[in-house]
Amino acid sequence: MTPHCGLRRQRQHCVRALAAVQRAGLHVPEDLSIVGYNDIPLATRAAVPLTIVRVPFDAIAAAAVDQLIDLIAGVPTSAWSFALTLIPRRTTARTAGLQAATPNRHPSPSTAR
């Protein structure tokens, strides 16, 4: 059974996986889709531009700092959620309805109090 998709946490692993798949005589995305986690310029310059799940690290860091300040001050904290964005490029096969995700508009952690 041929795998359909490989999800790699580090972008460098995606680039290596892409090269290994091609060396094995397989084709991306026809034989295997590869999706990376987070976005870097290398993702667009790879032999086949990598599909990526983009993570809002700046917003996550700001929320973490705000929660830490609240914890130190004894203020109750709440859970946060952050929208991920799918950036489809050429390492995933097109399927019906696949499109770039529109990020949800969450309040900025510093203004959501």
Side-chain angles (χ1 to χ4, degrees):
M1 180 174 158
T2 303
H4 177 66
C5 180
L7 178 63
R8 304 302 307 177
R9 185 172 51 139
Q10 296 182 352
R11 284 85 55 208
Q12 297 86 351
H13 292 169
C14 285
V15 173
R16 289 185 198 127
L18 178 58
V21 166
Q22 291 171 334
R23 278 194 308 273
L26 298 173
H27 299 91
V28 174
E30 294 83 0
D31 299 317
L32 176 75
S33 293
I34 298 176
V35 179
Y37 187 74
N38 202 12
D39 202 7
I40 60 170
L42 177 62
T44 60
R45 293 191 304 257
V48 178
L50 294 167
T51 296
I52 297 293
V53 175
R54 185 176 289 157
V55 180
F57 287 112
D58 291 345
I60 293 169
V65 169
D66 285 346
Q67 285 202 345
L68 180 59
I69 291 169
D70 287 347
L71 284 170
I72 291 170
V75 176
T77 61
S78 59
W80 289 91
S81 65
F82 300 91
L84 304 178
T85 305
L86 175 65
I87 311 295
R89 294 191 179 114
R90 292 184 32 220
T91 58
T92 48
R94 294 283 182 222
T95 60
L98 178 65
Q99 59 184 343
T102 303
N104 294 335
R105 298 293 177 209
H106 291 287
S108 166
S110 59
T111 62
R113 294 177 191 228

